Amino acid sequence: MPELPEVEVTRQSFADRITGARVLVLRMGKALRWPLGCEPQSLVGRQVLGVRRRGKYLLLDLDQGLLLLHLGMSGSLRFEQTPGPAGKHDHMDLHTSQGTLRLHDPRRFGAVVFAPTQESPQAWKLLGRLGVEPLGDDFQAKDFWKALKKRKTVIKQVLLGGELVVGVGNIYASEALFMAGIRPTTRAQHISLARATRLHEAIRAVLARAVQIGGSTLKDFSNAQGESGYFQLEAAVYGREGLACRACATAIKAMRQGQRSTFFCPVCQKP
């Protein structure tokens, strides 16, 4: 599943090229997770003012309204001057005066939703409960710790929930917890200020590094220019069950939490 770094890398790979473009045609294929919310032809002639990211959503700001795009479980975007014919799993083509933005989504858990404004019900339903951005100035260590003190759930699930801090998905939660030396099964409310501060720093460091090297390509992720990511090659614990910990040489362990795989070092990460 594309996580925050993959979505941000995707944004960076086409935002400059589509900004300023006029919409010529919007072609929608098979139904996605949610309906578009408007007639496709109503967007013809509108100008793309820019591309932002909120959590795992991409926001294409138009001169009237905005499009919210989500990559779902297996989606990816391409931006090309002259794309070939749409394939079986190509479910959106946004043809513009500067190129075509295409959504490829084999499992169709992604979404393309129009909203008149970011405060409208269509957008609020998707964005309204998201936590703070982990790479933004609003993500402060002490506030993070205070919020953790109110949560009885284990820390890995709190991170995945996205209500305190958004976009820390499965790969990066495992990596940040390793960097902070915290066992994934530790109750959030039991984490001290010092450990919460280390986790805060680890979240920012891990996500920033992932963005820097193009995100993670575990199966078929690539950005809007078709380029793969390389963070998985640097992972300390994720996907390394049975291999030696890079810090202490103990075998990395794996377990299931909330139907997701969790990887950790039983020595370096304390309960």
Side-chain angles (χ1 to χ4, degrees), residues 69-190:
L69 277 64
H70 196 284
L71 301 181
M73 298 286 290
S74 59
S76 61
L77 291 170
R78 291 285 187 278
F79 187 77
E80 299 175 317
Q81 293 298 320
T82 54
K88 177 181 179 181
H89 301 302
D90 297 328
H91 302 302
M92 180 206 75
D93 279 346
L94 182 67
H95 297 283
T96 78
S97 57
Q98 295 173 192
T100 296
L101 184 66
R102 171 172 287 173
L103 174 65
H104 178 80
D105 187 3
R107 300 182 68 179
R108 288 194 287 137
F109 282 108
V112 181
V113 176
F114 174 78
T117 71
Q118 194 169 330
E119 291 72 37
S120 64
Q122 301 94 320
W124 183 256
K125 178 181 177 181
L126 304 179
L127 308 177
R129 295 186 178 182
L130 297 182
V132 298
E133 289 288 335
L135 298 177
D137 294 337
D138 290 339
F139 186 41
Q140 296 293 321
K142 196 165 186 180
D143 293 337
F144 179 52
W145 170 69
K146 288 180 179 178
L148 291 180
K149 298 300 288 183
K150 300 176 183 179
R151 303 294 172 121
K152 298 180 180 180
T153 312
V154 298
I155 184 60
K156 170 82 181 303
Q157 297 306 101
V158 170
L159 295 180
L160 294 185
E163 294 180 357
L164 300 190
V165 56
V166 72
V168 187
N170 197 44
I171 298 171
Y172 305 108
S174 289
E175 291 297 303
L177 288 167
F178 172 79
M179 185 179 290
I182 299 173
R183 192 76 61 86
T185 52
T186 303
R187 297 285 174 183
Q189 65 182 172
H190 296 158

Side-chain angles (χ1 to χ4, degrees), residues 239-251:
R240 301 189 69 244
E241 181 182 9
L243 299 178
C245 173
R246 301 189 194 277
C248 73
T250 302

